Amino acid sequence: MGSVWYGAMKIGIDIVDDDHKQLFALVHEFNAAADAQGGEVSGAQMAEILTRLQNYVADHFQREEQMQLEAKYDGYEENKRQHEELTRTLSAFIAKHKGGGAGAEARTATREMREFLGVWLSQHILKTDLKMRGRILPWAG
């Protein structure tokens, strides 16, 4: 998830784009850890990185949703639903791997989380967040 790929996903609202850049950095950290360890992130390391990601997305989602509410954005409900989906998925993965006990599942869990994060983040930004362009910008200050 290089800077060129991220740059193509900017929505034009600075605070949201800055948040997305941080999200991409955390996903990149997860992917780099997997690559450095032969495609397998230990359960404890997975839980640690995903917990930081979960904490950051909670702040980001709150900012983004507040901006949408203030602008009376008609896509708010769908955006909130997707945010809740990611939060639930991260919570489940963290709970499953917090004790570091992924064992033989570590490679599969790493692959599944990489795929989920890559697809979710890119699809959410491309299909949901980009719809805010032009509708939120006047209120974003």
Side-chain angles (χ1 to χ4, degrees):
M1 292 191 187
S3 61
V4 172
W5 192 71
Y6 162 73
M9 299 181 119
K10 285 187 173 185
I11 66 167
I13 302 170
D14 290 344
I15 192 166
V16 176
D17 286 335
D18 289 346
D19 279 358
H20 287 166
K21 189 173 183 178
Q22 290 300 319
L23 293 174
F24 276 98
L26 286 164
V27 171
H28 176 74
E29 180 181 343
F30 182 84
N31 288 332
D35 291 343
Q37 297 169 68
E40 183 175 312
V41 177
S42 72
Q45 187 177 21
M46 183 180 300
E48 187 272 326
I49 293 170
L50 294 178
T51 297
R52 286 191 290 124
L53 178 61
Q54 185 180 46
N55 291 337
Y56 193 81
V57 297
D59 291 341
H60 165 62
F61 291 166
Q62 188 277 326
R63 278 189 291 276
E64 192 173 275
E65 289 170 13
Q66 184 61 41
M67 198 180 315
Q68 292 172 350
L69 286 172
E70 290 173 8
K72 296 178 178 37
Y73 175 58
D74 60 0
Y76 169 79
E77 290 299 328
E78 174 61 17
N79 204 339
K80 184 168 180 58
R81 185 194 63 73
Q82 289 185 21
H83 289 169
E84 290 168 350
E85 175 189 331
L86 175 67
T87 301
R88 278 191 305 273
T89 302
L90 286 174
S91 293
F93 254 85
I94 291 165
K96 183 176 181 179
H97 300 292
K98 197 159 198 122
E105 295 181 9
R107 185 174 301 278
T108 300
T110 300
R111 180 182 44 76
E112 289 173 352
M113 184 50 61
R114 287 176 88 161
E115 290 172 4
F116 173 76
L117 290 173
V119 168
W120 188 90
L121 191 58
S122 64
Q123 292 303 306
H124 180 72
I125 293 171
L126 286 173
K127 291 188 175 175
T128 304
D129 285 352
L130 275 174
K131 291 177 186 176
M132 290 188 296
R133 183 183 284 166
R135 295 183 187 172
I136 300 285
L137 202 51
W139 291 272

